[in-house]
Structure formats: C-alpha cells, structure tokens
Amino acid sequence: MRELAIVKELKGDVVLLEKARTEACSTCGSRSSCSISSSDKKITIRALHNGVEVNPGDTVEIEMSNMSATRVSMIVYGIPLAVFLVTLIVMNMVLKSEGLALVVAFASIAVVYALIALYDRKNREKLMPKIVRKVELPDGFIVR
C-alpha cells in the first residue's frame, strides 16, 4: 500500500514522517466510532531512506509492508496465548500441580515473546515502510 507523508526529521537511514490517519483508516470497519480517524490527529511513522534524497518539509510517497493487522495480531497475541494454554494443560497433566504448571506456562510466554522480539529485530527493515519517491504537490494542496 502506498501513501503520502511529510518528512519531519532525518536520523541517519531512518526518516521520521508525519501523516493524518484518515487515509490509512479509510477501509477500517470501525472508522465511524474511532476517535483517531474522525479527528485531524497526526501520526509519526519511521521509514527507511531507501536512497531517496529528502529534506524536512518534503512530501514523499511511502510504501507500507503488506503484513495485515490480522497477521500482526496473531503473532503478538494469538501465538503466545496458544503456547500458554497448551503449556498449562500439558504441564498440569504431567506435573499434577496447577501452581507449578501456571509458573511454567508464564515462563513459556516469556520465551515466546523473546522469540518474537528476535524475529522483529531480524526482519525490522523488511517490515518498515520505505520511501519510494519525493512528490511535488501543486500549491495549496494539503496532505491528509
């Protein structure tokens, strides 16, 4: 998905961009009841330079990763919950102690989140938005 954003700050290979949430939320089913999409609140996005020369105040087109919110939610919430429940049930049957099984299940969540953090560090650049090009807008045009 490609969107427009405004360059706010340059930090090495990373560029801080600002954009309104209205474009990103246009297909969301909850947009009518969401306070972010109904207001003019802006969000800050970290994007990779990708070899495009930009300065603060420039309007750029960015390409967002194709990873869906459902997939991200499954990785962050679903997998740890499944591991917790399976570990709790198996350890309760093996150890015959609910308290000890609970401790082991919580420890398994810590291990899963550590693995997710390693996955995130390894794949962060692939998942970060990238600047595609600098966009010249007509006078009076406002990026929303």
Side-chain angles (χ1 to χ4, degrees):
M1 172 169 63
R2 292 190 175 190
E3 297 181 7
L4 295 179
I6 298 171
V7 177
K8 286 297 171 192
E9 190 177 339
L10 305 171
K11 291 185 173 182
D13 286 341
V14 176
V15 180
L16 295 181
L17 306 169
E18 185 177 83
K19 70 176 291 328
R21 287 292 303 208
T22 54
E23 187 178 337
C25 300
S26 64
T27 58
C28 179
S30 301
R31 70 181 174 276
S32 61
S33 62
C34 180
S35 62
I36 293 174
S37 63
S38 63
S39 69
D40 286 334
K41 291 185 180 178
K42 305 236 183 250
I43 60 165
T44 301
I45 300 171
R46 292 171 43 115
L48 293 176
H49 237 281
N50 208 25
V52 179
E53 284 296 320
V54 293
N55 295 308
D58 289 346
T59 301
V60 294
E61 182 178 10
I62 56 173
E63 186 171 42
M64 308 292 265
S65 106
N66 289 333
M67 186 175 282
S68 70
T70 306
R71 184 173 174 197
V72 171
S73 296
M74 183 57 86
I75 291 170
V76 174
Y77 301 114
I79 293 172
L81 178 62
V83 168
F84 174 79
L85 292 174
V86 168
T87 304
L88 183 64
I89 292 167
V90 170
M91 287 294 119
N92 192 27
M93 290 176 4
V94 170
L95 300 175
K96 306 281 191 231
S97 168
E98 290 177 2
L100 192 55
L102 191 61
V103 170
V104 173
F106 277 117
S108 71
I109 287 181
V111 170
V112 169
Y113 277 119
L115 293 172
I116 290 171
L118 289 173
Y119 172 80
D120 179 55
R121 280 192 207 112
K122 183 178 178 186
N123 295 298
R124 185 168 287 162
E125 286 195 16
K126 285 194 291 188
L127 300 174
M128 278 182 73
K130 293 174 181 55
I131 295 176
V132 177
R133 64 186 175 100
K134 187 175 170 179
V135 178
E136 296 298 328
L137 297 174
D139 290 335
F141 189 83
I142 299 172
V143 175
R144 288 193 145 264

